[in-house]
Amino acid sequence: MKKISLFLAVLLVSGGFFISNAFAHCEIPCGIYDDQARMDMISEHADTIEKSMREITALEDGKNMNQLVRWVTTKEKHADLIQNIVSQYFMTQRIKLDAVDYDKKITALHKMLIFSMKCKQTTDPGNVEKLRAAAEEFQVLYFDHKHS
C-alpha cells in the first residue's frame, strides 16, 4: 500500500510539472508550434509598445505619475515578451544550425532583440519602426525557407 501511495504521489507531482510547463512553450520538444501566431504576437507587442510610448510622452508633465509608471511598466513588459519569443521560441527551438540563410535569420532576430531593448530605454518611436522592420525581415527569410 505504501508503494502504491508513493507511486501515485510521484505521478501527480511529475504530471503537474509537465502540465505547468506545457503553457510556457516546452523545450522537450513537444512538436506543437505555431510560427505565424508568434509573429502576430510580436506585432501586437510592438503596437502596445508604440501606444505606451505615446502615452508616456503625453504624461511627461508629471501630473499623473501613477498612470505614467503604469505605461512605462507596460512598455517594458511587452519588450520583454518580444525578447522571450525571439530567444526562447525562434532562436532556441525553430532556427536549426543548418538552416538556409542561418546567419541572416539570426541577424534579423538579433536586431529584434536590440530594438526591443532600445524600446525599453527610450520613447523614440523610431525604435519601434526598426523593430518592425527587423521582424518583417525575419518573417520573409523564415517563411520563405521554413521547410529548408
Side-chain angles (χ1 to χ4, degrees), residues 86-135:
V86 167
S87 62
Q88 293 299 310
Y89 183 81
F90 283 110
M91 291 179 95
T92 61
Q93 296 183 66
R94 301 303 287 149
I95 305 301
K96 306 299 181 208
L97 294 172
D98 61 351
V100 172
D101 288 332
Y102 172 82
D103 57 335
K104 291 178 183 176
K105 291 173 185 172
I106 293 298
T107 298
L109 289 168
H110 188 235
K111 288 178 189 176
M112 291 168 65
L113 292 173
I114 295 296
F115 292 116
S116 293
M117 175 194 67
K118 290 191 177 289
C119 285
K120 289 183 192 181
Q121 295 172 340
T122 73
T123 55
D124 179 358
N127 289 318
V128 179
E129 289 309 311
K130 291 174 186 173
L131 171 62
R132 285 188 178 118

Side-chain angles (χ1 to χ4, degrees), residues 10-97:
V10 169
L11 185 62
L12 286 172
V13 169
S14 64
F17 173 77
F18 288 113
I19 289 169
S20 66
N21 282 330
F23 296 108
H25 208 86
C26 56
E27 294 179 2
I28 56 177
C30 66
I32 301 169
Y33 302 107
D34 190 342
D35 301 332
Q36 187 57 57
R38 293 309 185 291
M39 293 307 301
D40 292 344
M41 291 166 80
I42 288 170
S43 178
E44 187 175 304
H45 292 312
D47 290 346
T48 303
I49 291 167
E50 185 176 46
K51 179 171 183 171
S52 297
M53 287 178 172
R54 283 193 310 267
E55 295 296 327
I56 290 165
T57 301
L59 293 166
E60 284 180 333
D61 63 8
K63 292 182 181 175
N64 191 341
M65 292 303 291
N66 183 58
Q67 199 62 17
L68 177 67
V69 169
R70 292 181 75 210
W71 280 112
V72 169
T73 302
T74 297
K75 179 174 70 88
E76 299 278 322
K77 175 185 166 190
H78 288 272
D80 283 340
L81 290 168
I82 290 172
Q83 290 174 324
N84 187 297
I85 293 168
V86 167
S87 62
Q88 293 299 310
Y89 183 81
F90 283 110
M91 291 179 95
T92 61
Q93 296 183 66
R94 301 303 287 149
I95 305 301
K96 306 299 181 208
L97 294 172

